[in-house]
Amino acid sequence: MRVPLSWLREYVDLPATETGRDVQAKLVSAGLEVETVEHLGADLKGPLVVGQVLTIEELEGFKKPIRFCTVDVGQANGTGEPQEIVCGARNFSVGDKVVVVLPGATLPGGFSISARKTYGKTSHGMICSGDELGMGDDGSHGIIVLPPETEVGKDAIELLELVDEVLDIAVTANRGDCLSIRGVAREAAIAYGLPLSDPALLDVPGPNAYGYPVEVSDPLGCDRFTARTVTGLSPEARSPIWLQRRLQKVGMRPISLAVDVTNYVMMELGQPLHAYDRSLVQGTIGVRRATEGEQIKTLDGVERKLHAEDLVITDERGPIGLAGVMGGANTEIADHTESEGTTDVVIEAAHFDAVSIARTARRHKLSSEASRRFERGVDPQAAAAAAQRTVDLLVLLAGGTAEAGVTEVVAPSAPHTIAVPADHPDKVAGVSYGRETVVRRLQEVGCDVYGQDELIVTVPSWRPDLQEINDLAEEVIRLEGYENLPSTLPRPPAGRGLTQRQRLHRRVGRVLAGAGYVEAPNYPFLGEQVFDQLLLDADDPKRRVVKLTNPLNDEEPALRTSLLPGLFGALRRNDGRGTHDLALFETGLVFLPREEQRIAAVLPVDRRPTDEEIAELDAALPEQPRHVAVVVAGAREQAGWWGKGRPADWADAVEAARVVAREAGAELVVRGGQYGPWHPGRCAELVVGDTVVGHAGELHPRVVKAFGLPARTSAMELDLDALEAAGDDTPQAPRISTFPVATQDVALVVDKFVPHAEVEAALRDGAGELLEGIRLFDVYENEEQLGDGRKSLAYALRFRAGDRTLTVDEASAARDAAVALAGERTGAVLRG
């Protein structure tokens, strides 16, 4: 919201010495985010005057039309002689009043004006456009043509109000009242402790039976509709300079008098209005929901297909406007430049349901100044005053006549009241304000307050955001000054530190970073189409998602159940930017919906919630286990003088899982598996105990293609919470034995389908306590030597006793026991 300081001063008698920066500081302290203060005309220096065009000579022989003009500027040039000026604009004629900048002046941007020779003539100054003066385009796309009654030689800087300060306020979604000069003026008046001259305090006639007929079929969507009629408007009447300039300063372009007046009143009072050409409205004006498939052509020239939830304004032909968003082209006010301008208008000032307007604006991708205000909250009591203000301005500026008829359709409603303990703001802020301060601040906001220890607060109509007691507490706190709240650091009990889960999370991040992976955090949102791209089965639990009511991105409305889609996106972006050797990891929460859906309870703010209340809140939230995932592509080891290097493959993803498991103190079993995004022949199932905690391996080619990943990309994902529950991360000091190790190698022949993990487990169990370590160092397949469907697995077994040197017989006996158990469980036989 752009707020000119000159306009603001009309309603609050600010000290003359107060600058825009001073007002900014006051409003920021009161809780309004004033982003910038724009100094209009800060580097503008005259003489800049009103001139009248006396003659125009068309210069020939140039690539574009050029005119040599003489302009009467009165005594502004010191001689009274006509000023000779070269100009390329075409939108003015002899006798028009224009804005002339004379030599010696400086225009915005530091552009100095001097007499100079151009196009074979000497130009003593310049005829100005709105852009050249920093005013913006006024719709003429040319120089400024002033009203005929403007005095020649008058100072144009003062006439056009070129010097001003404009506050640019970022209005939050709950403060729709501040999308108006009236609302900001109220905040400024409170901040300075000054009275407010409320522009909405007007004498408004009551409704009668002579007003324009209006029928509201949906009182929930439209609880108030005021209609007024003005006749006899002059089609040639134009918006005065002061009105145009105020619209330009707030960021709006002047269009025509009737439209400009409705926009002006909207910016002044915050009440959106619409003016209909009465001659184009047929029959009763109605408010109803659209019929599915109905169409309307809006003022922007777009033919729109309506939805059954859209609220529309109608006459007996059908829709003539999208309620609260944009009017229809079939009742548009005719511009004064048209042959037959509008002379009679019907003024609409209504109050619409905020949610309905917001949904319509989003559905049609049509955000307007009106919809922005309705969806944030408009004062319903201001509709009649806004209509009266519009009527008064049209009568004053266009010579119209206000008809006696006043239409006002109002749905019965009661003011919103809140019961709040007088000391509640004290408890929220931790500051003792006292009852008198609380009552005074609430009354300054506009509330009616009664009671002693228990206050009964009636909320003003312009503050629909004040719904419950904490909203009232916030008003007291912000007006007393957030900067006055004491800063108290919490004092946690000594010795607690990080939880075990937090320590594991950090250790996993450090160990993966040490293994060459780069952390790539991602947003926890996804679209459900990724599950098809991941080749998940139709009944896969990961397809059950938690959906957001108001997502940041309509294409990603759900919370993630896997970390892989986010990592795939990060890998694709980096690969597309020229980084092809990538190893990325992420640790983060995934969100799994519970079987029973519950509504979260609202916890108290004046005390610590009880354990039961916290447990109830947790039970309403989705399950949020922490996962860890990696994705690798390109070269895992670079080529150089030390060797050829090697590409990343499935084994790197499996090793990343082992690294994480070792850090968690869990014994991870790796065995063949098959799941969704992984290649069916190169997928490892990661098991702890009897629980599958994740998968690793090379991605399926179809997944690689669907996500745009490099060929042979590999990935891993683990349930970190499950690892923590199964593991023992108690630090184990390394032991160095004084006794030598005994090494025994065995080569076992098994069927090809037997997993290495089962053979290793059998060897480990059979060898007993003397086994210190076991390592698979060779896999051999040869049908002629081993037979069809057979393979050889060669293991190195390390034996050591803690209290003696093992004999050859002891080591051999342990090896034989291991081989025997492997043969019993897996059918393994010694090779050769």
Side-chain angles (χ1 to χ4, degrees):
M1 176 68 190
R2 291 171 57 85
V3 180
L5 191 58
S6 59
W7 199 351
L8 189 65
R9 288 182 182 275
E10 283 198 8
Y11 310 129
V12 183
D13 188 16
L14 299 174
T17 57
E18 289 293 284
T19 66
R21 294 290 184 190
D22 298 329
V23 177
Q24 177 189 30
K26 285 284 190 179
L27 292 179
V28 168
S29 178
L32 291 185
E33 186 179 349
V34 184
E35 294 186 326
T36 60
V37 178
E38 183 180 353
H39 297 269
L40 302 181
D43 51 357
L44 176 64
K45 186 180 73 172
L48 188 72
V49 298
V50 176
Q52 183 173 21
V53 180
L54 300 178
T55 65
I56 298 177
E57 177 188 350
E58 301 289 345
L59 301 182
E60 305 293 339
F62 299 102
K63 292 183 179 179
K64 61 179 183 179
I66 298 296
R67 310 167 99 185
F68 180 65
C69 311
T70 59
V71 185
D72 177 15
V73 295
Q75 297 298 318
N77 58 4
T79 66
E81 296 294 325
Q83 201 79 2
E84 296 179 340
I85 298 174
V86 175
C87 183
R90 313 293 296 176
N91 67 313
F92 65 97
S93 306
V94 173
D96 282 346
K97 303 289 181 64
V98 294
V99 178
V100 179
V101 57
L102 300 177
T106 303
L107 294 183
F111 182 58
S112 299
I113 302 300
S114 61
R116 64 189 182 95
K117 192 169 183 178
T118 179
Y119 296 103
K121 300 284 187 179
T122 300
S123 181
H124 299 273
M126 188 169 69
I127 302 176
C128 298
S129 68
D131 285 334
E132 290 163 341
L133 297 179
M135 298 168 53
D137 180 28
D138 62 357
S140 65
H141 303 289
I143 61 99
I144 301 169
V145 178
L146 299 171
E149 64 272 12
T150 310
E151 179 186 350
V152 172
K154 185 178 179 62
D155 183 2
I157 295 178
E158 179 182 350
L159 175 69
L160 299 177
E161 303 177 15
L162 297 178
V163 178
D164 202 351
E165 293 181 278
V166 179
L167 310 177
D168 193 351
I169 304 176
V171 179
T172 54
N174 66 317
R175 291 302 304 273
D177 61 303
C178 288
L179 286 173
S180 66
I181 304 296
R182 178 197 184 201
V184 177
R186 183 180 294 109
E187 292 296 318
I190 296 173
Y192 279 93
L194 296 171
L196 170 69
S197 299
D198 192 343
L201 294 180
L202 301 174
D203 290 330
V204 180
N208 52 52
Y210 310 110
Y212 198 94
V214 173
E215 181 180 345
V216 177
S217 303
D218 189 342
L220 295 179
C222 175
D223 57 8
R224 184 179 294 265
F225 194 106
T226 299
R228 300 288 298 276
T229 304
V230 181
T231 60
L233 300 178
S234 172
E236 292 79 24
R238 296 174 56 187
S239 300
I241 293 174
W242 64 266
L243 193 150
Q244 294 187 46
R245 287 297 294 133
R246 286 193 169 179
L247 288 178
Q248 288 174 331
K249 289 177 184 179
V250 298
M252 303 190 77
R253 183 172 65 87
I255 297 174
S256 65
L257 178 59
V259 176
D260 292 349
V261 167
T262 58
N263 286 336
Y264 177 85
V265 175
M266 175 179 67
M267 302 308 295
E268 182 181 53
L269 302 182
Q271 168 66 52
L273 302 108
H274 190 71
Y276 300 94
D277 188 328
R278 183 176 180 178
S279 65
L280 300 178
V281 179
Q282 299 180 10
T284 300
I285 291 178
V287 183
R288 61 170 172 82
R289 299 288 174 175
T291 302
E292 188 71 36
E294 268 189 309
Q295 293 189 339
I296 182 176
K297 186 176 182 180
T298 46
L299 288 173
D300 57 358
V302 178
E303 194 77 33
R304 301 184 184 278
K305 187 176 181 180
L306 300 178
H307 188 274
E309 293 183 3
D310 291 335
L311 198 64
V312 293
I313 310 298
T314 65
D315 63 6
E316 58 186 31
R317 295 169 298 176
I320 59 173
L322 269 177
V325 181
M326 185 174 287
N330 54 355
T331 56
E332 182 178 6
I333 297 292
D335 190 82
H336 71 275
T337 59
E338 299 181 23
S339 58
E340 296 183 4
T342 298
T343 59
D344 301 341
V345 296
V346 178
I347 305 300
E348 165 208 309
H351 185 261
F352 301 110
D353 175 59
V355 174
S356 176
I357 301 305
R359 288 177 176 172
T360 296
R362 175 176 291 189
R363 188 180 299 119
H364 294 283
K365 296 180 174 61
L366 185 61
S367 179
S368 64
E369 291 289 346
S371 68
R372 287 182 62 220
R373 284 161 176 78
F374 278 124
E375 62 192 43
R376 286 164 174 79
V378 169
D379 181 4
Q381 302 293 334
Q388 182 64 46
R389 177 74 165 138
T390 304
V391 169
D392 292 344
L393 287 173
L394 288 176
V395 170
L396 174 67
L397 301 176
T401 301
E403 288 195 351
V406 176
T407 302
E408 191 164 329
V409 180
V410 181
S413 62
H416 182 51
T417 59
I418 304 171
V420 54
D423 62 348
H424 182 70
D426 300 7
K427 293 179 179 179
V428 173
V431 176
S432 180
Y433 292 123
R435 179 188 177 280
E436 290 186 4
T437 299
V438 171
V439 171
R440 174 172 57 86
R441 288 303 190 183
L442 292 178
Q443 288 175 339
E444 288 176 346
V445 171
C447 298
D448 289 331
V449 185
Y450 301 96
Q452 292 297 318
D453 295 337
E454 183 83 8
L455 302 179
I456 304 300
V457 180
T458 302
V459 175
S461 59
W462 56 82
R463 291 299 302 273
D465 59 305
L466 303 182
Q467 293 293 321
E468 46 104 15
I469 60 175
N470 290 321
D471 296 329
L472 300 179
E474 182 183 3
E475 290 300 295
V476 174
I477 295 168
R478 76 174 181 88
L479 294 178
E480 284 295 304
Y482 291 119
E483 68 277 9
N484 296 323
L485 293 177
S487 298
T488 305
L489 293 177
R491 296 181 180 179
R496 286 191 176 182
L498 299 176
T499 65
Q500 181 177 347
R501 186 173 189 239
Q502 291 170 328
R503 288 196 296 269
L504 175 60
H505 178 211
R506 295 192 179 187
R507 291 204 313 272
V508 167
R510 285 195 293 266
V511 74
L512 287 176
Y517 290 85
V518 176
E519 188 170 14
N522 296 284
Y523 288 117
F525 312 118
L526 53 75
E528 294 182 80
Q529 73 280 356
V530 301
F531 299 129
D532 295 329
Q533 296 173 329
L534 291 172
L535 307 182
L536 299 184
D537 294 336
D539 58 348
D540 193 291
K542 288 186 177 180
R543 284 184 177 268
R544 294 185 63 244
V545 295
V546 177
K547 290 188 177 180
L548 301 173
T549 303
N550 189 22
L552 295 178
N553 183 351
D554 290 339
E555 296 181 358
E556 295 180 332
L559 292 173
R560 66 188 178 190
T561 57
S562 169
L563 303 183
L564 291 181
L567 279 178
F568 291 167
L571 182 72
R572 180 180 63 251
R573 285 191 297 274
N574 284 277
D575 182 68
R577 294 168 183 171
T579 304
H580 304 302
D581 304 324
L582 293 160
L584 307 178
F585 84 93
E586 180 180 8
T587 56
L589 303 180
V590 298
F591 304 86
L592 310 176
R594 299 181 186 271
E595 294 295 333
E596 181 184 356
Q597 299 294 326
R598 298 184 183 181
I599 298 177
V602 178
L603 298 183
V605 297
D606 58 342
R607 59 175 174 81
R608 182 191 182 279
T610 64
D611 293 341
E612 292 75 14
E613 289 173 331
I614 296 175
E616 184 180 355
L617 178 63
D618 287 339
L621 298 176
E623 296 181 17
Q624 302 175 54
R626 186 178 296 278
H627 281 204
V628 57
V630 305
V631 58
V632 290
R636 189 69 177 120
E637 295 178 3
Q638 296 291 335
W641 58 265
W642 52 84
K644 295 182 180 180
R646 69 173 182 85
D649 60 16
W650 61 268
D652 294 297
V654 173
E655 180 59 23
R658 289 195 174 104
V659 167
V660 173
R662 283 196 293 270
E663 200 62 35
E667 185 176 346
L668 189 70
V669 175
V670 180
R671 65 192 186 196
Q674 184 172 343
Y675 182 69
W678 282 277
H679 192 296
R682 298 169 189 153
C683 174
E685 192 174 67
L686 309 175
V687 182
V688 173
D690 296 327
T691 305
V692 176
V693 295
H695 294 83
E698 184 179 316
L699 295 176
H700 196 290
R702 286 165 56 190
V703 174
V704 169
K705 181 178 180 181
F707 285 94
L709 306 178
R712 309 299 293 270
T713 297
S714 298
M716 177 275 293
E717 183 167 13
L718 274 174
D719 185 337
L720 199 54
D721 285 355
L723 279 180
E724 179 192 358
D728 179 9
D729 62 352
T730 303
Q732 298 290 333
R735 292 183 300 169
I736 300 177
S737 177
T738 58
F739 300 100
V741 66
T743 303
Q744 298 273 357
D745 293 347
V746 295
L748 302 177
V749 178
V750 296
D751 292 334
K752 280 187 178 181
F753 65 82
V754 176
H756 140 69
E758 292 186 10
V759 178
E760 179 181 314
L763 290 173
R764 191 181 300 276
D765 292 343
E769 295 180 354
L770 295 179
L771 182 67
E772 183 182 76
I774 182 171
R775 179 175 63 88
L776 175 69
F777 65 85
D778 183 55
V779 178
Y780 177 70
E781 296 180 9
N782 188 304
E783 291 185 4
E784 294 182 1
Q785 296 185 16
L786 303 178
D788 186 23
R790 306 280 281 174
K791 64 181 178 182
S792 171
L793 304 177
Y795 295 90
L797 307 179
R798 292 168 57 88
F799 299 98
R800 195 191 315 254
D803 57 349
R804 67 188 188 281
T805 299
L806 292 178
T807 65
V808 173
D809 291 341
E810 287 177 314
S812 297
R815 179 202 62 191
D816 293 343
V819 171
L821 187 58
E824 180 182 333
R825 289 185 181 178
T826 67
V829 296
L830 281 172
R831 180 179 167 188

